[in-house]
Amino acid sequence: MRTKMILSLPILTIILWFCVIAPPGYAKGGSFQSQLFDYAGKSYTGAEDPSYLNYDLALREYMVDRIKKQFGVTLNPKNYSGFDLLEIEALFKCKKSEEPFDAFLKMFPKGP
């Protein structure tokens, strides 16, 4: 009896593990996020590289959508770079509830 339980424990653990893990197709924000994963692990020759420009555009669209969902602030993806939007999101997460969002946005120059 004890050996059956010892042998079935790893099998049960594996089955439960697969039940807990959600398939990647069901991840939040699948459309923008999957576009970003297309660029994962790639390297670029510079800021003028067409592949980099496509990546930056996908990042900007994804971040603008994420900031709107989390904080209710609508930003124009053409006004900020992808990395500026990452920084803006980090600052929004750290801000006090009584601080206005505009105070943080003034720190970033508008332009690509």
Side-chain angles (χ1 to χ4, degrees):
M1 177 73 179
R2 185 169 165 86
T3 57
K4 280 186 176 181
M5 189 176 0
I6 291 174
L7 292 175
S8 64
L9 187 61
I11 295 171
L12 182 63
T13 304
I14 291 171
I15 291 170
L16 287 174
W17 179 255
F18 283 113
C19 292
V20 170
I21 296 176
Y26 298 115
K28 286 184 183 179
S31 63
F32 286 128
Q33 196 169 21
S34 66
Q35 288 176 355
L36 284 178
F37 286 142
D38 292 343
Y39 299 100
K42 294 187 179 180
S43 57
Y44 307 102
T45 57
E48 291 79 27
D49 186 353
S51 296
Y52 174 77
L53 295 174
N54 291 336
Y55 160 71
D56 189 54
L57 179 63
L59 177 63
R60 285 187 277 157
E61 289 174 354
Y62 174 71
M63 289 305 302
V64 163
D65 185 56
R66 196 160 99 173
I67 289 171
K68 183 174 182 173
K69 285 179 183 175
Q70 279 186 329
F71 304 104
V73 177
T74 304
L75 299 173
N76 186 348
K78 295 178 183 177
N79 290 345
Y80 304 99
S81 73
F83 295 107
D84 283 345
L85 289 166
L86 287 167
E87 201 169 342
I88 288 169
E89 181 192 35
L91 289 171
F92 283 180
K93 287 180 180 179
C94 297
K95 82 172 200 63
K96 296 177 184 173
S97 59
E98 67 272 0
E99 290 179 306
F101 290 105
D102 292 338
F104 293 97
L105 294 175
K106 288 179 186 177
M107 293 190 279
F108 296 92
K110 289 188 178 183

